[in-house]
Structure formats: structure tokens, C-alpha cells
Amino acid sequence: MKKLLLLIVIPIAFLSCGKSGDAIPSVPVNFSASITDPRLSALNARGGYVVISGYGVAGLILYREPDGSYAAYDRCSSYQPQKNVQ
């Protein structure tokens, strides 16, 4: 009887511990700027980056890849999103 009770209680305990909902909100981002914009001058060099506030959840990081392409990241941490930095 004890083994049967354990077989029922353990799966219920694991299923009840899950988090519900997304901790990071889905936010559409529409950012565009000319590469000649003085705020983006750091992107002229490969490996350069610029932080832009006011977009996304916690601002954007624009990065110039070593191959010359560009990447954009949100500054919001996926580890502790409740500690968003603006």
C-alpha cells in the first residue's frame, strides 16, 4: 500500500512544481537607423557594439559580427528576467 501511495504522490509533486506563463514578455521591436548615425559609430569596427535604450524589454545591444554582419539582442536576462535593466 505504501508503494502505491508513493507511486501516486511523487509524480503529482513533480507536476505541481512547474512555472506557468512566460516570464519574459513578447515585445515587438521596430528599430532602424542609418549606419552613418553618430550613435552607431562603434559598429564601423568588427566586434563593435552599441546599446540602444527604449526598445524591446530592456533595450537593445547591436553587435557587429567578425564576418561583417550585424546582430541585435535584447538586454533582458533570460536567467532573472524580473531584474530588467533600463
Side-chain angles (χ1 to χ4, degrees):
M1 184 67 172
K2 289 182 182 181
K3 289 183 181 183
L4 180 60
L5 184 59
L6 276 175
L7 287 175
I8 293 172
V9 171
I10 290 176
I12 291 174
F14 280 112
L15 292 174
S16 64
C17 293
K19 294 181 180 179
S20 63
D22 291 332
I24 302 173
S26 177
V27 177
V29 176
N30 186 13
F31 175 81
S32 64
S34 172
I35 196 65
T36 59
D37 186 333
R39 298 179 302 162
L40 304 179
S41 63
L43 295 176
N44 291 332
R46 293 170 195 249
Y49 70 94
V50 176
V51 176
I52 305 289
S53 298
Y55 291 91
V57 174
L60 297 177
I61 299 172
L62 305 177
Y63 176 71
R64 178 92 183 256
E65 299 280 352
D67 66 0
S69 63
Y70 298 93
Y73 303 96
D74 197 306
R75 291 180 58 206
C76 183
S77 169
S78 61
Y79 170 62
Q80 293 179 330
Q82 66 277 13
K83 294 184 177 182
N84 292 341
V85 286
Q86 284 288 350

